[in-house]
């Protein structure tokens, strides 16, 4: 517990910057690298994906992140999820986190759904016991009882998404990260997903980080929001303020 | 503290899952399945024994030759295959590393453990050969777990080093396959150590695989008489024959431990220092 952070903050992002080194050329071979090094032609272009982002998400908040494509939203999410380490600054998350950024990480399509549930579950941080206990629940939610022993390469992409979502949300996380990737599956399943997320928010007080460039969806679901523009934190505030400003800018740009 | 043990327990669970995944995938859709892990080293030994029996005439130290051969090749294979797979492990795990927070040490470690399982199966083939040539087991076999620990530590160290470097330079992978081939011939697997001139034999002591392989042969062939003729003259004259393979000494153990640990430490340090940047390059 570091000082200066309010106890109820679930996610604290402090002055985070993310700099990528983009090599002028792709140098993946030792020979090229040595040649360039000797010739002193080894230049890197710095690309700043995020610049001095600071925000705090209170426990139980539903927090939106808006911005156009390539503005750094996904980079920020990856930092919060702990996949990327920021170049500068720090990011603290209280409690368990369920990143729905990339569903089905580590699925091996040669394996059956049953085997994949255990594999993916372990990668998401569940214990063997926990997966066993909630196995029926997962299959029930994905509605895939008949295909449980089938290799997943025979599944449709919708079916894969269903099982991935079911595994990822069977746990009640303290922080849930929802990316735009949820636009998979049929209408019926999408509703089921939204219902599940709503249950998590309302009944369990889960903190949600929600990313979308669909401004209306953000307005509908979130309470507070941040607007990121080319890696800069453009605006932070209530969802109405941010969305209004964002719309103004879009109009201005058009 | 509790947190750390919890995390270790969980990493172990992931490891177990990945190993079982690799195992299931390896033999899916093959009729003989797992049996191949036994058949493969056995058939390799038969081929090599046939080839090398004609080229080199085995001498005292390498009798019975097929036993000498299979012990060397199976153990060397454990290192060769696991480090080759290990070198690829981080690049292969790129989709996972990019998506979820995970202890990256798991991937090279998993490859070595998976090969250890395969090695355990190939021991069945070794046992068959030992029985056929009537090499009686001795208490020295109790050293086997210790030897495997050395080799696993050594292979993990190499895998950590190679997998980390391979992220930045893919050349490492191609280079390594050449190194392994060279190493195979530079280690007395098919030929006896006394085929070397003295100074080369001295250099050979710095080859960790030579140390491990010799250790393996020592504990398995301990007490095997060098030559039937020697045995006969020895019993006739009443003097005991001198066995070539002897219980590994403390010194031999220390050499093995030292080589394994140094490799592990180097690999671990390189891996630790670079793992933050993996995600930017895979």
């Amino acid at each position: 517990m570091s000082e200066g952070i309010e106890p109820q903050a679930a996610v604290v992002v402090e002055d985070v910057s993310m700099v990528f080194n983009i090599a002028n050329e792709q140098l993946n071979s030792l020979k090229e690298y040595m040649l360039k090094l000797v010739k002193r032609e080894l230049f890197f272009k710095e690309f700043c994906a995020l610049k001095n982002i600071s925000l705090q998400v209170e426990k139980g908040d539903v927090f939106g992140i808006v911005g156009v494509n390539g503005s750094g939203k996904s980079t920020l999410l990856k930092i919060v999820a702990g996949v990327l380490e920021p170049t500068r600054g720090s990011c603290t998350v209280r409690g368990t986190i369920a990143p729905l950024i990339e569903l089905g990480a580590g699925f091996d399509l040669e394996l059956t759904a049953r085997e994949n549930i255990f594999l993916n579950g372990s990668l998401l941080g569940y214990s063997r016991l926990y997966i066993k206990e909630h196995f029926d629940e997962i299959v029930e939610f994905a509605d895939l009882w008949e295909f449980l022993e089938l290799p997943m390469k025979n599944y449709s992409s919708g079916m894969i998404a269903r099982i991935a979502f079911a595994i990822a949300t069977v746990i009640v996380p303290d922080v849930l990260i929802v990316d735009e990737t949820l636009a998979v599956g049929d209408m019926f399943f999408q509703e089921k997903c939204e219902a599940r997320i709503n249950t998590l928010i309302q009944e369990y007080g889960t903190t949600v980080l929600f990313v979308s460039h669909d401004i209306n969806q953000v307005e509908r679901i979130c309470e507070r929001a941040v607007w990121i523009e080319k890696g800069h934190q453009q605006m932070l505030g209530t969802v109405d303020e941010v969305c209004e400003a964002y719309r103004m800018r879009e109009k201005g740009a058009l | 503290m509790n947190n750390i043990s919890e995390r270790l327990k969980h990493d172990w669970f992931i490891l177990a899952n990945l190993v079982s995944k690799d195992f299931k995938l390896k033999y899916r859709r093959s009729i003989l399945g797992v049996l191949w892990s036994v058949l493969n080293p056995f058939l390799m030994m038969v081929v090599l024994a046939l080839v090398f029996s004609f080229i080199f005439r085995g001498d005292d130290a390498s009798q019975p030759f097929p036993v000498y051969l299979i012990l060397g090749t199976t153990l060397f294979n454990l290192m060769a295959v696991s480090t080759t797979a290990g070198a690829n492990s981080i690049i292969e795990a790129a989709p996972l590393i990019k998506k979820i927070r995970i202890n990256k040490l798991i991937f090279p470690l998993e490859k070595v453990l998976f090969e250890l399982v395969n090695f355990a199966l190939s021991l069945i083939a070794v046992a068959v050969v030992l029985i056929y040539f009537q090499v009686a087991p001795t208490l020295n076999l109790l050293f086997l777990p210790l030897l495997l620990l050395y080799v696993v530590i050594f292979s993990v160290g190499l895998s950590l080093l190679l997998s980390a470097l391979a992220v930045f330079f893919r050349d490492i992978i191609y280079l390594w396959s050449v190194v392994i081939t060279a190493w195979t011939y530079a280690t007395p697997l098919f030929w006896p150590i006394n085929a070397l001139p003295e100074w080369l034999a001295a250099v050979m002591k710095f080859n960790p695989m030579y140390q491990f392989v010799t250790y393996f042969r020592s504990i398995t062939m301990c007490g095997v008489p060098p030559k039937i003729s020697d045995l006969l003259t020895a019993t006739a004259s009443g003097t005991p024959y001198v066995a070539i393979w002897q219980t590994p000494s403390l010194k031999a153990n220390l050499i093995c431990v030292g080589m394994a640990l140094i490799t592990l430490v180097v690999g671990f340090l390189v891996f630790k220092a670079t793992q933050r940047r993996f995600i930017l390059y895979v």
Side-chain angles (χ1 to χ4, degrees):
Chain A
M1 298 275 150
S2 59
E3 61 274 48
I5 297 167
E6 285 175 41
Q8 65 266 41
V11 179
V12 181
V13 175
E14 272 180 302
D15 202 24
V16 159
S17 297
M18 187 76 221
V19 180
F20 292 106
N21 277 330
I22 308 176
N24 280 337
E25 303 149 67
Q26 180 80 16
L27 295 176
N28 270 338
S29 100
L30 205 59
K31 191 190 92 189
E32 284 174 42
Y33 186 84
M34 289 302 174
L35 270 175
K36 297 276 174 191
L37 199 68
V38 172
K39 285 187 187 163
R40 299 183 179 277
E41 280 177 9
L42 198 65
F43 300 123
F44 289 104
K45 206 164 59 193
E46 287 207 335
F47 170 71
C48 208
L50 288 177
K51 256 176 243 163
N52 308 95
I53 306 285
S54 291
L55 51 90
Q56 236 182 67
V57 183
E58 309 300 324
K59 199 174 177 312
D61 250 5
V62 182
F63 192 87
I65 302 174
V66 296
V68 291
N69 274 337
S71 56
K73 302 186 300 271
S74 294
T75 309
L76 181 60
L77 282 193
K78 284 191 172 180
I79 288 173
V80 174
V83 178
L84 269 177
E85 266 184 68
T87 318
R88 282 184 294 279
S90 71
C91 174
T92 327
V93 177
R94 295 271 155 65
T96 57
I97 183 162
L100 297 190
I101 309 174
E102 307 265 7
L103 288 174
F107 272 170
D108 198 305
L109 298 187
E110 291 282 334
L111 295 177
T112 66
R114 180 189 296 279
E115 290 162 338
N116 266 313
I117 289 175
F118 277 89
L119 182 62
N120 187 244
S122 73
L123 291 171
L124 290 181
Y126 309 163
S127 69
R128 186 189 299 275
L129 189 70
Y130 189 88
I131 303 173
K132 267 191 188 147
E133 279 173 354
H134 292 80
F135 188 83
D136 289 359
E137 205 181 309
I138 293 170
V139 185
E140 192 65 52
F141 189 88
D143 196 15
L144 286 171
W145 280 111
E146 314 143 65
F147 310 111
L148 209 48
E149 308 302 338
L150 218 62
M152 280 187 50
K153 62 180 173 186
N154 299 338
Y155 276 36
S156 73
S157 54
M159 284 157 85
I160 294 175
R162 261 149 68 185
I163 195 121
F165 184 86
I167 301 170
T169 55
V170 68
I171 201 163
V172 176
D174 296 322
V175 180
L176 181 71
I177 298 183
V178 187
D179 204 351
E180 293 152 309
T181 45
L182 280 186
V184 285
D186 49 24
M187 276 289 288
F188 177 69
F189 189 73
Q190 273 190 42
E191 274 170 28
K192 216 167 161 182
C193 291
E194 271 203 45
R196 173 70 187 162
I197 292 173
N198 279 331
T199 317
L200 286 177
I201 297 170
Q202 277 151 19
E203 283 179 30
Y204 300 101
T206 297
T207 312
V208 176
L209 279 180
F210 187 84
V211 168
S212 181
H213 41 226
D214 179 357
I215 194 81
N216 299 320
Q217 203 178 10
V218 172
E219 215 164 18
R220 201 168 66 234
I221 298 175
C222 303
E223 293 147 16
R224 294 177 68 237
V226 66
W227 167 17
I228 297 177
E229 180 81 32
K230 285 182 184 144
H232 290 280
Q233 183 169 328
Q234 197 81 4
M235 193 175 178
L236 175 70
T238 66
V239 75
D240 294 332
E241 292 167 6
V242 173
C243 287
E244 196 169 326
Y246 186 69
R247 280 210 187 86
M248 294 288 282
R249 178 241 175 232
E250 270 194 328
K251 272 181 196 152
L254 280 174
Chain B
M1 280 317 274
N2 200 14
N3 214 341
I4 292 173
S5 79
E6 192 81 345
R7 211 174 296 158
L8 278 179
K9 204 176 129 198
H10 189 75
D11 284 350
W12 181 253
F13 178 47
I14 296 179
L15 259 179
N17 265 317
L18 289 175
V19 170
S20 100
K21 177 195 96 171
D22 273 1
F23 203 76
K24 281 175 196 153
L25 291 182
K26 182 165 182 180
Y27 295 116
R28 194 148 278 188
R29 240 163 260 115
S30 82
I31 298 167
L32 293 179
V34 180
L35 205 56
W36 276 116
S37 281
V38 182
L39 275 178
N40 220 6
F42 183 74
L43 294 176
M44 285 301 284
M45 184 276 299
V46 171
V47 172
L48 290 171
L50 283 176
V51 172
F52 285 95
S53 297
F54 288 109
I55 300 175
F56 301 110
R57 285 206 39 241
D59 71 338
D60 300 356
S62 52
Q63 291 302 328
F65 189 56
V67 175
Y68 179 86
L69 203 58
I70 197 170
L71 290 174
T73 47
T74 45
L75 192 72
F76 191 89
N77 207 41
L78 168 61
M79 185 285 292
V81 181
S82 58
T83 51
T84 305
N88 261 309
S89 60
I90 294 293
I91 296 171
E92 207 177 274
L96 273 182
I97 290 174
K98 281 182 186 167
K99 284 175 191 169
I100 51 174
R101 180 182 206 158
I102 189 165
N103 187 351
K104 299 176 188 72
L105 275 169
I106 284 178
F107 301 108
L109 199 59
E110 188 263 328
K111 292 298 174 200
V112 178
L113 289 186
F114 172 58
E115 289 309 327
L116 184 66
V117 174
N118 278 323
F119 175 81
L121 285 167
S122 69
L123 281 181
I124 298 173
V126 174
V128 170
V129 174
L130 288 179
I131 291 168
Y132 182 82
F133 287 94
Q134 296 179 351
V135 176
T138 61
L139 278 179
N140 283 295
L141 272 184
L142 293 177
F143 279 106
L144 183 60
L146 203 57
L147 169 67
L148 290 184
L149 186 67
Y150 301 156
V151 178
V152 164
I153 291 176
F154 181 71
S155 306
V156 168
L158 275 179
S159 297
L160 288 176
L161 178 71
L162 294 168
S163 62
L165 293 179
V167 170
F168 305 104
F169 304 107
R170 307 288 144 111
D171 314 48
I172 296 289
I173 290 161
Y174 308 108
L175 212 59
W176 189 244
S177 69
V178 179
V179 170
I180 285 290
T181 310
W183 205 349
T184 310
Y185 291 105
T187 307
L189 301 177
F190 320 120
W191 41 272
I193 179 76
N194 45 17
L196 291 180
E198 213 162 290
W199 67 274
L200 258 181
V203 172
M204 187 57 77
K205 293 213 167 67
F206 294 97
N207 175 356
M209 284 322 289
Y210 165 67
Q211 298 288 353
F212 297 140
V213 164
T214 307
Y215 195 108
F216 194 30
R217 284 168 179 159
S218 299
I219 60 174
T220 318
M221 293 166 48
C222 193
V224 173
K227 259 197 239 168
I228 301 295
S229 54
D230 281 1
L231 182 62
L232 291 178
T233 40
T235 25
S237 62
T239 48
Y241 62 84
V242 184
I244 290 167
W245 304 105
Q246 284 167 352
T247 309
S249 60
L250 181 64
K251 190 183 158 203
N253 276 292
L254 286 179
I255 290 174
C256 289
V257 174
M259 286 175 161
L261 282 183
I262 289 171
T263 314
L264 181 69
V265 168
V266 171
F268 183 75
L269 290 179
V270 171
F271 195 89
K272 265 278 170 246
T274 51
Q275 66 167 346
R276 272 193 63 190
R277 289 183 291 137
F278 285 174
I279 190 168
L280 306 175
Y281 290 86
V282 288

